[in-house]
């Protein structure tokens, strides 16, 4: 079975933890792992490999996170723009054989009961092998109004229900045979594509047009204009709510979509502890809480101190902090909308930015200079590049840099430095076995990221 | 008239804005000025010069802040350790002539009505010239329980009252002739010393013993052992509550001791605005407030976003954030007590540290290296020093450095760099007319501040 992992997301619901360039599934939350990494690990026992549907901005981030968990059997489908779930799944299925069994999952949900999960997947697999389109129905634990519901009788789907009001949601729970629509599916690739062709023939044809014709590849890149030509729709609307081959596997596996900080609170909260604290494992200072309880505290680098407060969501990051009343985390969207007007870079990117070759972190940015910490992964190299407005001073603090400046190639070792003059063609590379860590001081009249001319780049940028 | 400015303070009540090394009076609050600077400016119309009672840690900070407001007629009395207000004022008076009129003020209070202030000072001055010890009684605006009260009849003091409970405080307000004891005084130096000699002869003698005998100096430094020999007491207990020469000047001048974030809220709050926001003038991002009101927000570098919260005090700094319920800011003491156990450097110092020669800011600190931004004021130089455990890379981004390394002296210009090897004797100096701004990257097995051997230092460290 092949695990199709959908990796979309705008990074708004868990802002400031998530950003456009680091959506929810890539944020390290529990045990210093991301939900994306947890998804891959969760499916390893039931799937032979994964097909990750992502975009090119997040491709290197996904590759990086896969390598951190030593997962090396993933194929990528890179969408230039998202067209909702039906086209994403269709394109992925078109890259497979018609008889291949696929398990479609999101990348940003939490599943706490692995045994129940695997049992549900095996149950779904058996149904899928019989030619069914199988959806997973999560036993609801409270009257959530943000999800659709599935009315079921055993494995039979009686109806799909739109997001209800609280009263209706409560009646669903009381009746006992209604389930949350989880966004997970299991079927044979060919069965799904046949049903799509039947119920959404235009989309099916547009997806066929968009698929590259050059056979099997580890990275399948869809072109922008053919992708734009595909109608936008969800798998539920396009196929599941119409097909007669749909079955449901009811399950109860400790599932959460972590769609808000309130949902995160429920997962972090532990009985007996006054506050729910989510820290990074390594270096987050322990929050100080005086007469304060029932708060969610997400701590990163800074010391957080609470006095006499209750029911707050306190989400700290290096450049932004959110303080919200518990129960109001849906309004984070309104914050992000205002951020996009007022300081758009805070909606897009963290101070720690991920690049194909590693990471950089802006330590200080001023009119005359910029200070960065640069980490280049072993075997990686930056583009061959030059700048028109800045000089660069590089000081290696760990690892060894192979530096190209015009015609010269030389090594810079720990505690050594070098200097790249404005206009000089240069390249930074780590040919070693450990991370290269470097402090870069840029000096010049303009230090924006867009002052870069790339002459050669192994990442095709 | 000479303005004796008392500059003590432990930096706990406005933590994390204030720290041991940057007590409340030196924090920039309003109009990018500190309360200390405001105090000096407020008294310039009524006093010829000032005598600043401080300690050697804060001496350079005070000198720096004076120079920023172009105040150049201050004398300093440096206490190695605080012994409360009576000895501080006595030592300052001993450095003056007996006939000198003095106005004793704190350095960390706010006065909003300058005209009323000057009128009160002139009224006090007239009484002081007649040989009285004059105190200032602030007309109370609410039943504060944290201050002492003065019962008055015109200029006559009927009694001093200890901090009352709320009910008693309210009865004081209802009676109309009770005033807050402001900690400000006006008298002739000799009159005060005579009264001190009469009512606290031991303290008087101990202060005489502690005063250096070498005549008038701009900086009077008291020795630790003679200072320790002085009994500790407040001017109120030691003299004012006993002397028969005490008068009071009742006044109403928009006074606040800013003794807590709740008091700060009252001063920052503006009618018609939903939240009280105190930003640095230059580069603080504007807070985003969704359905939130009646909060105090002190913003520095980071973006702050509030959702559905009311009556909070949100105090953000580069390395710590305090979130307290309004009305509970007295509990900040409990936070500081815990900070002192858990992360004592956060109680002591900001990431931006003040030195006699300028400032440094730690941009990043890790096991193998430390990155600092160093600013050296024009005409200043660091000590001639060496380190046993670290090498230093210096990159000048603005201004020109005069660098000494062993026998060599050379200039390092903007966008130039130099390297100081472990063990090399070196010195950094700014002989120019503008600030020298430099990025320092320290590389070594240990980068603690205490790895320094000072061979020569113009600041006597």
């Amino acid at each position: 079975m092949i695990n199709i992992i959908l990796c979309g997301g705008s990074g708004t619901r868990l802002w400031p933890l998530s950003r456009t360039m680091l959506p929810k599934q890539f944020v390290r939350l529990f045990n210093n792992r991301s939900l994306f990494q947890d998804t891959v690990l969760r499916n390893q026992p039931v799937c032979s490999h994964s097909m990750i549907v992502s975009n090119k901005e997040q491709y290197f981030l996904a590759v990086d996170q896969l390598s951190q968990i030593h997962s090396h059997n993933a194929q990528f489908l890179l969408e230039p723009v998202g067209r909702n779930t039906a086209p994403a799944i269709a394109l992925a299925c078109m890259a497979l054989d018609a008889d291949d069994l696929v398990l479609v999952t999101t990348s940003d949900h939490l599943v706490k009961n692995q045994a129940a999960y695997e049992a549900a997947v095996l149950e779904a697999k058996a149904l899928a092998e019989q030619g069914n389109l199988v959806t997973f129905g999560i036993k609801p634990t409270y009257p959530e109004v943000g999800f659709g519901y599935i009315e079921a009788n055993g494995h039979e789907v009686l109806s799909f229900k739109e997001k209800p009001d609280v009263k209706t949601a409560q009646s669903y729970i009381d009746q006992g045979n209604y389930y949350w629509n989880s966004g997970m599916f299991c079927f044979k690739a060919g069965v799904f594509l046949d049903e799509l062709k039947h119920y959404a023939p235009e989309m099916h044809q547009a997806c066929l047009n968009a698929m590259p014709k050059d056979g099997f590849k580890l990275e399948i890149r869809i072109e922008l204009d053919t992708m734009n030509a595909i109608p936008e729709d969800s798998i539920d609307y396009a196929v599941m709510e119409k097909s007669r081959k749909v079955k449901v596997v009811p399950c109860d596996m400790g599932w959460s979509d972590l769609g808000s900080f309130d949902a995160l609170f429920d997962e972090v909260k532990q009985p007996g502890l006054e506050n729910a604290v989510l820290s990074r494992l390594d270096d987050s200072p322990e929050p100080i809480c005086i007469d304060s309880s029932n708060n969610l505290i997400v701590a990163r680098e800074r010391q957080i101190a609470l006095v006499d407060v209750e029911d707050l969501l306190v989400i700290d990051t290096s450049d932004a902090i959110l303080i919200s009343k518990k129960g109001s985390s849906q309004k984070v969207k309104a914050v992000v909308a205002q951020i996009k007007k007022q300081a758009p870079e805070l909606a897009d990117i963290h101070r720690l930015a991920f690049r194909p070759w590693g990471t950089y972190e802006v330590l200080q940015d001023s009119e005359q200079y910029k200070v960065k910490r640069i980490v280049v992964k072993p075997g990686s190299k930056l583009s061959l590049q030059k700048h028109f407005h800045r000089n660069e001073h590089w000081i290696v603090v760990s690892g060894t840099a192979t530096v190209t400046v015009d015609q010269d190639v030389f090594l810079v070792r720990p505690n050594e430095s070098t200097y790249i003059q404005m206009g000089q063609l240069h390249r930074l590379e780590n040919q070693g076995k450990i991370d290269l860590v470097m402090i870069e001081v840029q000096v010049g009249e303009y230090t924006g990221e867009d002052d870069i001319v790339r002459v050669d780049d192994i990442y095709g940028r």
Side-chain angles (χ1 to χ4, degrees), chain A residues 169-433:
Chain A
Q170 187 57 55
S171 77
Y172 291 166
I173 295 186
D174 295 341
Q175 290 173 68
N177 64 327
Y178 284 77
Y179 299 92
W180 289 337
N181 191 348
S182 66
M184 288 174 49
F185 309 96
C186 187
F187 40 64
K188 284 185 182 170
V191 174
F192 171 73
L193 290 175
D194 286 347
E195 292 295 282
L196 181 73
K197 190 172 181 178
H198 183 74
Y199 293 107
E202 280 182 39
M203 184 188 294
H204 184 270
Q205 186 57 49
C207 287
L208 272 184
N209 297 345
M211 273 303 284
K213 302 297 174 291
D214 46 4
F216 182 83
K217 278 168 70 174
L218 275 178
E219 300 159 29
I220 300 165
R221 289 173 189 265
I222 311 294
E223 295 299 320
L224 181 61
D225 48 350
T226 55
M227 189 83 206
N228 269 330
I230 304 175
E232 200 166 355
D233 208 354
S234 73
I235 179 174
D236 290 303
Y237 283 139
V239 177
M240 301 305 281
E241 298 190 8
K242 294 169 182 157
S243 168
R244 295 181 193 161
K245 297 184 175 176
V246 174
K247 301 285 178 196
V248 60
V249 171
C251 42
D252 185 2
M253 53 194 194
W255 175 91
S256 167
D257 80 329
L258 285 180
S260 69
F261 285 118
D262 284 301
L264 185 61
F265 175 88
D266 292 336
E267 300 305 330
V268 177
K269 178 83 180 145
Q270 286 180 30
L273 293 183
E274 288 198 318
N275 295 285
V277 178
L278 186 66
S279 295
R280 279 204 307 210
L281 286 183
D282 38 6
D283 57 353
S284 311
E286 199 181 331
I288 292 176
C289 301
I290 309 284
D291 300 332
S292 297
S293 58
N294 215 31
N295 302 289
L296 170 66
I297 304 172
V298 177
R300 290 306 200 231
E301 294 154 19
R302 194 180 343 275
Q303 178 70 55
I304 298 175
L306 304 187
V307 174
D308 268 357
V309 293
E310 287 174 6
D311 298 322
L312 285 188
L313 308 167
V314 176
I315 316 299
D316 190 36
T317 67
S318 63
D319 51 5
I321 181 161
L322 171 75
I323 302 168
S324 168
K325 189 176 154 191
K326 207 153 77 66
S328 298
S329 65
Q330 295 299 339
K331 293 192 186 176
V332 170
K333 282 175 197 164
V335 173
V336 175
Q338 200 164 329
I339 282 282
K340 282 184 175 169
K341 284 185 224 157
Q342 180 174 322
E345 72 286 1
L346 287 177
D348 277 350
I349 199 160
H350 283 280
R351 284 178 111 165
L352 177 67
F354 294 90
R355 286 288 179 269
W357 41 261
T359 62
Y360 72 77
E361 184 182 357
V362 177
L363 302 183
Q364 194 163 55
D365 194 1
S366 88
E367 277 193 19
Q368 295 164 312
Y369 66 95
K370 189 190 267 187
V371 184
K372 282 184 182 179
R373 175 181 189 262
I374 293 176
V375 178
V376 185
K377 294 180 288 189
S380 292
K381 58 179 168 183
L382 282 69
S383 62
L384 182 65
Q385 57 186 242
K386 63 181 172 183
H387 315 290
F388 287 118
H389 303 293
R390 67 180 188 246
N391 307 287
E392 295 181 341
H393 299 258
W394 293 351
I395 295 134
V396 173
V397 294
S398 175
T400 296
T402 301
V403 176
T404 305
V405 179
D406 291 332
Q407 306 310 315
D408 300 328
V409 179
F410 52 93
L411 296 183
V412 185
R413 300 165 188 84
N415 191 38
E416 292 181 351
S417 65
T418 191
Y419 172 68
I420 317 290
Q421 205 172 4
M422 215 177 275
Q424 279 186 317
L425 206 56
H426 61 279
R427 174 168 238 163
L428 177 61
E429 185 176 358
N430 180 3
Q431 296 182 341
K433 299 295 179 200

